[in-house]
Amino acid sequence: MGVIGKRVAYYPGCSLEGAARAYDVSTKIAAKELGLELDYLEDYNCCGAMESKNVTFMGTMLMNARNMSLARKQGHSVIVAPCNGCSFSLQRAEYFLETDKAIFDKVNALLREGGVDPLDQIPQTYHILEWFYTEAGPQKVKEKTRKPLRGLKVANYYGCLYTRPHFYARTYAHAGGQDEEARPRRRETADDDEHPYYMNALLEAAGATNVEFEPMHTQCCGGPHSLSDEMVSEKFVMMILQTAKRNGADIIATECPLCHASLEMYRHRLMMKGVPDVDVPAAYFTQLLGLAFGYSANDVKLKDNLSDPLPVLKRLGLA
Amino acid sequence: MAIHERSLVEPERIVRKERLVIDGVDVSGDWNLLILPRVINDYDLDFGKEVLNTPEGKTINQCYQCSYCTASCPIHNYWDERYNPRHFIYLARLGMIDELQKRVDVMWRCVSCHKCTHRCPKGVLVEEVIKAILKVMAKRGLAEEYPSKKFDKFFTESVVEYGRIEDGELLFGWIEKQGYKVFKDPILKKPIPFVGDTPEWLKQLTMKPIKSMNIDFLLLNAKHMLFHPKTKNWNKFKQVLRKVMQEEGALH
Ligand code: SF4
Ligand code: SF4
């Protein structure tokens, strides 16, 4: 395929500079091995995640437009974000800016007022997984794998916003029953909406075995309510972890720092309460790729993970 | 107006009679159940229009009440049946504000998973519409403070102030808002983890793995908690943000 470009603007997001450092580090490792280049977006700001949009509409448009403008300044028309929340926010802004001229003009005027270059063009945002799959793909992963993840049974957890909603993520809408004309913004590179498989394919190429994980692979983890609505989050995480465990998974592979944090936090709480079958640890898919590419557990910062996947990996002789 | 919604029939209005004679005809037995009529005259059609006029809510009128959104919704399916996005849209369009108000205690529960929006056959941005309904209600003083709103505001405040968020601040700030006494250092007024009051689960969560963690990771996070990461060229932009939010009425 190869339509996104091998050199893109990299929007890590706040989380990856702090608590999710492991994801940042391992993403860079994986990208380097796969021959892809990430251009760090200088002086970016928070995307507003899933929270700010409930407080202010124009505010979130502006926050994301500022980041887009920075990307344009660095000469990019593609932004890649490793976080479901960030890619969602940027894609949401992209949707409203593209489909509503009045919003676009207003945002540009406000950007100028705030001392930021107005947008000459709206850059497109991709989730990093989509980019890895499209630009490198399983073939390349297979070539680069030096230490296959043999015997590791993985449950691939995609979370909500990687493929949803099709308006923003530009996936195909299976269930919506819409015809081609109704979806002019659909993107060829996008993953399957209800049955995403990009992470499965990449990790399988790295030697791992995927376990059956539907429909929990896209079940919400509590997301923006992880802290404010604890009972709901706890139940959702319980459903996810138990499905993984009962389907025989050794580890859950994640691709979003928010999902990851939520899974790890509530896993611990559930274990303290004595809930059965919830003790599957979680690791970022890039960490697993890094291990397969021959990097050590310390290189991909496996010790940063609160759920501690090291014992499982050690048992299988992978770390 | 015909009643389409079972949930709009309160139990008090369902009457069961032992013997029932209507116009001299004995209709006891299968026909002895009555629903007392209710006249609705306090609906407010402007409410739906107000939602329609927000950028997020402009797709509300495309809805044809198929309920695909509700059938997909994890909050409806796994938590509380009263959470029903299709129904909220119905009520908002009819302007039945009192009925909406009765459901405020579940309306905020939406976790923004976007299953509804993704699957809607009519292209309604369901999640955005529900949030727009909540916003309009809040604007009219019909929705109290609810947990997620508190958190959303707290989060947004942090973004607007610094340009970036910081996980430790979010976590401990939120714990403080929940009523725990968080200990702060006297100079920078930043929370010091685990000295004051901390929920038991959080203590255990961090204390166990902390021993096996890389020291540089802990130092990095400690540094971030003390010196909040900031976006550099932010001040001028911050003012514009605040102005925009003021116009939207989002600051209170
Ligand atoms: S899926 Fe769409 S059309 Fe159907 S009830 Fe929900 S919002 Fe209305
Ligand atoms: S976004 Fe909200 S309303 Fe929609 S399916 Fe998810 S929880 Fe339900």
Side-chain angles (χ1 to χ4, degrees):
Chain A
M1 283 189 268
V3 289
I4 305 177
K6 298 229 185 277
R7 188 168 181 279
V8 296
Y10 175 52
Y11 176 82
C14 311
S15 225
L16 269 77
E17 309 252 346
R21 177 186 70 159
Y23 194 16
D24 187 44
V25 171
S26 56
T27 294
K28 283 177 185 154
I29 285 177
K32 199 177 92 200
E33 287 290 317
L34 295 173
L36 305 172
E37 201 184 330
L38 296 160
D39 187 16
Y40 181 84
L41 203 57
E42 289 297 336
D43 201 33
Y44 66 86
N45 58 275
C46 176
C47 66
M50 311 302 299
E51 280 86 357
S52 299
K53 80 188 218 329
N54 300 338
V55 179
T56 159
F57 176 79
M58 229 17 193
T60 38
M61 288 295 125
L62 276 178
M63 290 171 197
N64 289 295
R66 183 178 179 275
N67 291 328
M68 291 180 181
S69 167
L70 295 180
R72 289 301 299 148
K73 203 169 163 188
Q74 292 185 21
H76 292 288
S77 53
V78 171
I79 303 175
V80 158
C83 167
N84 280 359
C86 301
S87 67
F88 167 85
S89 291
L90 283 157
Q91 285 169 346
R92 177 175 181 265
E94 192 184 315
Y95 170 81
F96 280 104
L97 291 174
E98 235 172 56
T99 53
D100 196 329
K101 186 81 172 58
I103 294 178
F104 182 74
D105 291 341
K106 188 163 175 213
V107 161
N108 262 349
L110 287 167
L111 282 181
R112 210 172 281 134
E113 199 182 320
V116 184
D117 298 342
L119 291 166
D120 55 342
Q121 160 196 347
I122 305 164
Q124 298 207 1
T125 303
Y126 293 78
H127 191 281
I128 201 139
L129 182 52
E130 191 178 334
W131 183 56
F132 276 0
Y133 187 88
T134 312
E135 285 297 333
Q139 199 50 45
K140 184 92 182 178
V141 170
K142 206 174 249 167
E143 278 167 28
K144 287 284 169 185
T145 299
R146 278 187 283 272
K147 264 178 65 191
L149 304 167
R150 212 161 281 129
L152 185 66
K153 295 204 209 68
V154 191
N156 296 282
Y157 180 67
Y158 293 86
C160 300
L161 303 170
Y162 167 59
T163 56
R164 284 196 303 263
H166 65 87
F167 294 97
Y168 309 156
R170 301 190 167 200
T171 42
Y172 178 87
H174 269 104
Q178 290 161 329
D179 43 27
E180 281 296 327
E181 297 95 81
R183 287 180 279 101
R185 300 180 78 255
R186 185 190 157 199
R187 199 150 64 190
E188 286 302 324
T189 54
D191 207 340
D192 188 291
D193 64 335
E194 303 278 349
H195 313 281
Y197 63 93
Y198 284 3
M199 189 156 49
N200 294 41
L202 293 183
L203 289 179
E204 198 172 283
T209 317
N210 297 308
V211 302
E212 183 62 41
F213 198 31
E214 297 202 9
M216 288 301 149
H217 60 341
T218 56
Q219 160 66 32
C220 180
C221 65
H225 286 189
S226 293
L227 290 176
S228 55
D229 197 359
E230 296 173 11
M231 296 312 290
V232 170
S233 309
E234 200 172 297
K235 178 163 184 192
F236 286 180
V237 171
M238 183 188 83
M239 285 162 34
I240 294 164
L241 292 178
Q242 287 189 335
T243 308
K245 179 81 183 176
R246 287 170 184 169
N247 287 350
D250 297 319
I251 200 165
I252 293 190
T254 56
E255 39 92 295
C256 166
L258 298 179
C259 304
H260 187 90
S262 186
L263 288 184
E264 289 193 323
M265 252 166 59
Y266 282 100
R267 167 185 182 268
H268 192 79
R269 264 172 87 149
L270 289 162
M271 279 167 71
M272 270 174 60
K273 285 190 178 172
V275 178
D277 294 347
V278 289
D279 56 338
V280 210
Y284 297 107
F285 81 104
T286 46
Q287 286 181 308
L288 297 178
L289 285 182
L291 287 179
F293 295 159
Y295 288 80
S296 75
N298 204 27
D299 289 337
V300 295
K301 309 283 180 208
L302 267 176
K303 278 187 172 176
D304 286 8
N305 298 19
L306 285 171
S307 58
D308 202 5
L310 263 176
V312 172
L313 293 168
K314 281 216 175 97
R315 177 164 55 81
L316 294 165
L318 300 171
Chain B
M1 184 177 58
I3 291 173
H4 301 289
E5 294 282 339
R6 182 132 184 230
S7 53
L8 288 180
V9 183
E10 301 94 359
E12 307 89 79
R13 287 201 289 122
I14 302 177
V15 193
R16 199 183 286 275
K17 294 242 160 81
E18 268 307 306
R19 285 191 63 79
L20 191 60
V21 180
I22 294 177
D23 294 342
V25 182
D26 187 345
V27 292
S28 313
D30 285 349
W31 295 91
N32 61 358
L33 187 76
L34 289 180
I35 297 173
L36 300 179
R38 177 175 106 165
V39 180
I40 298 168
N41 46 22
D42 56 348
Y43 53 84
D44 178 359
L45 291 180
D46 288 341
F47 186 87
K49 286 196 196 116
E50 206 170 315
V51 175
L52 186 66
N53 284 333
T54 58
E56 307 107 299
K58 66 177 177 226
T59 50
I60 184 171
N61 278 354
Q62 293 170 21
C63 172
Y64 62 5
Q65 293 289 302
C66 68
S67 217
Y68 208 156
C69 47
T70 304
S72 311
C73 176
I75 295 289
H76 177 83
N77 289 317
Y78 304 133
W79 193 254
D80 189 344
E81 267 185 12
R82 283 172 63 235
Y83 185 90
N84 186 336
R86 187 211 96 253
H87 191 37
F88 300 151
I89 291 177
Y90 176 78
L91 293 174
R93 285 175 70 186
L94 288 180
M96 291 170 69
I97 294 173
D98 53 334
E99 291 293 339
L100 273 178
Q101 236 177 326
K102 279 185 209 156
R103 289 162 177 80
V104 164
D105 60 321
V106 286
M107 270 178 85
W108 64 271
R109 280 233 140 91
C110 167
V111 285
S112 299
C113 72
H114 282 86
K115 280 198 166 136
C116 49
T117 310
H118 183 76
R119 291 179 184 166
C120 173
K122 289 288 287 171
V124 181
L125 300 177
V126 189
E127 189 264 1
E128 309 265 359
V129 169
I130 303 298
K131 295 284 153 79
I133 294 174
L134 260 179
K135 262 193 217 169
V136 173
M137 288 179 75
K139 212 184 240 171
R140 294 185 170 202
L142 300 169
E144 308 267 303
E145 282 281 311
Y146 37 88
S148 75
K149 186 170 162 196
K150 258 196 252 169
F151 186 73
D152 292 345
K153 279 198 171 160
F154 175 52
F155 185 99
T156 309
E157 224 359 91
S158 182
V159 179
V160 173
E161 186 53 37
Y162 300 104
R164 295 212 192 152
I165 55 151
E166 200 273 310
D167 301 295
E169 184 205 73
L170 274 189
L171 187 57
F172 284 98
W174 182 247
I175 286 169
E176 193 178 6
K177 275 203 189 309
Q178 306 241 292
Y180 289 94
K181 266 204 208 68
V182 172
F183 185 80
K184 296 198 176 160
D185 76 289
I187 305 160
L188 291 165
K189 297 274 177 285
K190 298 287 167 139
I192 297 185
F194 312 114
V195 181
D197 237 1
T198 320
E200 195 51 35
W201 64 268
L202 185 64
K203 255 187 225 163
Q204 297 213 6
L205 167 66
T206 19
M207 276 321 182
K208 210 175 72 185
I210 226 169
K211 294 186 198 104
S212 65
M213 275 182 169
N214 291 330
I215 187 78
D216 56 338
F217 178 62
L218 298 173
L219 285 179
L220 175 80
N221 281 299
K223 190 184 104 197
H224 281 179
M225 275 188 84
L226 283 178
F227 306 101
H228 201 295
K230 287 187 183 105
T231 303
K232 272 178 248 115
N233 296 314
W234 186 247
N235 271 338
K236 204 169 160 199
F237 195 75
K238 175 160 80 182
Q239 273 145 27
V240 178
L241 265 184
R242 284 211 192 280
K243 193 190 80 182
V244 168
M245 285 167 69
Q246 186 88 43
E247 279 167 17
E248 277 184 4
L251 286 178
H252 36 76

